[in-house]
Amino acid sequence: MRLSKWGYQADFVVYPLLIAGVALHTLWAATAPRGAAWLAAVAVGLPAWTLIEYTLHRWVLHRVPPFRSLHAQHHEHQRALIGTPTWVSAPLFLGLWVAMAHAAGRTTAGGLAAGLMTGYLIYAFIHDAVHHRAARPGSWLFRAKVRHALHHRPGAHCNFGVSSGAWDAVLGTAADR
Ligand SMILES: [Zn+2]
Ligand SMILES: [Zn+2]
């Protein structure tokens, strides 16, 4: 979806606040073991995001209408301010947090939600940088730019991971040329 300048930047303001809010909600006056359990859940949620990112990109954004045509706009106009609005993604994360709290308890759900949202925020930073920032050849960002540029080639079916190339390697969609 095409966004205004402020709409495009909203993720970078709203998500740090949401992550801090979820952390405070879970950890306020928490005991040390509960804090440790929360951190363990963060350590699961953070890498779990990379699989969600891959899954959503490969099978939802590239296949399921109307997401397919919305994402096609980003493929056509790579530097335009196109993305998922914060007012769509944030309620989904918060709904997931509430559902997980019912299923797994407040501490685990708080850690998982904080880890997943941190993963999403890192993804948003990287995807923005990949399209809008220059990178020194040989740097990590340069390699991420090359990997994502290959995904953007017309007709390409590769490199669906933006924040990580791991799932492309595991699921056979990695390409380096
Ligand atoms: Zn794509
Ligand atoms: Zn892109």
Side-chain angles (χ1 to χ4, degrees), residues 3 17 56 66 96 101 119 140 151 156:
L3 302 169
L17 293 173
L56 288 176
L96 185 63
W140 185 89
H151 171 73

Side-chain angles (χ1 to χ4, degrees), residues 57 71 74-75 77-78 123 127-128 130-131 148-149 151-152 162:
H57 188 189
H71 184 63
H74 166 62
H75 270 258
H77 311 282
Q78 294 184 33
Y123 151 78
H127 191 233
D128 174 64
V130 152
H131 283 297
H148 195 60
H151 171 73
H152 270 277
V162 175

